[in-house]
Amino acid sequence: MAPTDLENLLDMGFEKAKAELALKKSGNLDQAIEWLDKNADRSVDEITAAETAQADDDETNPNVEPAALKPGEVAQSLVCNDCGKKFRSQAQAEFHASKTEHVNFAESTEEIAPLTEEEKKAKLEELKRKAAERRAGTSAQDKLEQKRNEEIRRKSTKETQDIKEDLKKKEQLKEAAAKKREKQEEIAAKQRIKAKIELDKEERRLKAAKDKAEREGRPAPSQPTASALPTTSGPIASKPASAYTAARLRFQTSSGNIQKTFPVETTLFEVASTISQDTGIEVQSFVQNFPKKVFDSVDFGASLKELGLVPSASLIVR
């Protein structure tokens, strides 16, 4: 535990009463030092007499210690047998006992010489230096705390920036995937249209051949098996998916099948909310059998168009 201001003044050799009076009048250690320096040549009795016009008797006032022994008196002092520290007055010994809880004291015939003016000034300078070091230590601690807070702020800012960059990259990947999927859907739609045109041509050729055979009275030529058209999870589209404004979805739930139509910009989360309201089922994911795909909470923020569920799809509710 750091010594108190009063203990610092007593260790310098000042009287307890004078030290207490200095602290009482100043309020802090620095001002107390200045007050003691100004009143170094005045005793407590002189200071008290000037202020109250009634000085206390030094021999009856326990808080005042005489500056020096009177002529003819035997020099005496008190010593603490617990730590070996010596005291010029009983008041100093009692103060020491109250702070350290030492109780083993003895009288000594050794006279403790009072501090000289040079020693007092040296003690004052040392006390001032200690006070300055204490203030510097407090300032250094404040600077360290400020530096620590700045590091925390920078770390928080960097983490926020990293999160924003990560989200931006995810959005870019999501947008690129959506464009790629849309391009693939357009290519597939064109292939389906081309196949449908070829099938129509073949059907017209076969019909013309049949009509001609009937007119000529001979059997109709055998019809070759039509090649299968490219299929999707929904009916064949005659135009690209990007041209549709609505999606027809068929849901297979534990309570039966449901058919709904949604705008193509509707998110899968909104679709799940609608199904939950209609059936009371808490939707966790959707499963598409062909092509095989699972749409979970990661995909709920995407639209039906982005997920390739346009113009139609069949989903299993999980």
Side-chain angles (χ1 to χ4, degrees), residues 30 34 52 63 96 109 114 117 133 136 140 158 161 172 174 191 205 231 246 254 266 277 280 297 300:
D30 292 338
E34 295 179 0
T52 65
N63 295 324
H96 176 73
T109 57
E117 293 299 325
E133 290 177 354
K158 186 178 183 301
Q161 291 176 347
Q172 290 174 346
K174 183 178 177 181
Q191 291 175 346
R205 185 186 68 79
T231 60
S254 58
T266 304
Q277 292 175 0
S297 58
F300 276 20

Side-chain angles (χ1 to χ4, degrees), residues 34-217:
E34 295 179 0
W35 187 90
L36 288 170
D37 190 29
K38 292 179 181 179
N39 295 277
D41 298 329
R42 302 175 64 191
S43 66
V44 174
D45 294 339
E46 292 173 347
I47 296 172
T48 305
E51 293 179 351
T52 65
Q54 184 178 2
D56 293 332
D57 188 359
D58 290 349
E59 296 181 357
T60 60
N61 187 354
N63 295 324
V64 178
E65 180 187 2
L69 296 173
K70 296 181 180 180
E73 288 184 337
V74 178
Q76 292 181 349
S77 62
L78 295 174
V79 61
C80 177
N81 293 332
D82 293 330
C83 64
K85 194 170 184 178
K86 297 178 181 179
F87 308 96
R88 289 193 297 129
S89 68
Q90 183 177 351
Q92 291 180 344
E94 291 175 351
F95 181 79
H96 176 73
S98 66
K99 294 297 182 182
T100 62
E101 297 185 358
H102 293 172
V103 296
N104 190 9
F105 292 88
E107 291 184 348
S108 174
T109 57
E110 181 181 354
E111 180 181 3
I112 302 175
L115 295 175
T116 63
E117 293 299 325
E118 290 76 10
E119 290 174 339
K120 288 183 178 181
K121 290 182 179 180
K123 287 284 187 179
L124 283 171
E125 291 299 326
E126 181 181 359
L127 196 55
K128 289 181 179 180
R129 179 181 60 79
K130 289 182 179 180
E133 290 177 354
R134 187 163 57 251
R135 288 195 299 269
T138 302
S139 178
Q141 184 177 0
D142 292 340
K143 290 181 179 179
L144 182 62
E145 186 69 21
Q146 184 178 2
K147 182 179 179 181
R148 188 181 299 110
N149 292 336
E150 180 65 18
E151 291 176 352
I152 293 174
R153 186 190 66 79
R154 289 179 180 177
K155 182 179 179 181
S156 177
T157 302
K158 186 178 183 301
E159 290 178 351
T160 302
Q161 291 176 347
D162 291 343
I163 292 173
K164 290 181 178 179
E165 289 294 331
D166 187 51
L167 290 175
K168 184 177 180 181
K169 290 179 180 178
K170 288 182 178 179
E171 288 296 328
Q172 290 174 346
L173 292 174
K174 183 178 177 181
E175 183 178 355
K179 290 182 178 179
K180 181 179 179 181
R181 185 167 53 249
E182 184 175 349
K183 186 67 175 178
Q184 291 174 345
E185 290 173 353
E186 289 180 357
I187 293 174
K190 289 179 180 180
Q191 291 175 346
R192 289 193 298 271
I193 294 172
K194 183 178 180 181
K196 184 67 168 60
I197 292 173
E198 294 297 329
L199 181 60
D200 290 342
K201 287 182 179 180
E202 182 65 16
E203 289 178 350
R204 288 195 299 270
R205 185 186 68 79
L206 292 174
K207 186 177 183 301
K210 181 180 178 181
D211 293 342
K212 182 178 180 181
E214 289 177 352
R215 287 195 304 269
E216 294 176 353

Side-chain angles (χ1 to χ4, degrees), residues 253-288:
T253 68
S254 58
S255 59
N257 296 331
I258 302 174
Q259 290 187 352
K260 292 280 187 180
T261 301
F262 298 94
V264 295
E265 299 300 332
T266 304
T267 63
L268 198 58
F269 175 80
E270 294 172 323
V271 173
S273 298
T274 301
I275 299 301
S276 297
Q277 292 175 0
D278 292 346
T279 63
I281 301 173
E282 184 178 354
V283 180
Q284 300 294 333
S285 63
F286 296 98
V287 178
Q288 186 180 36

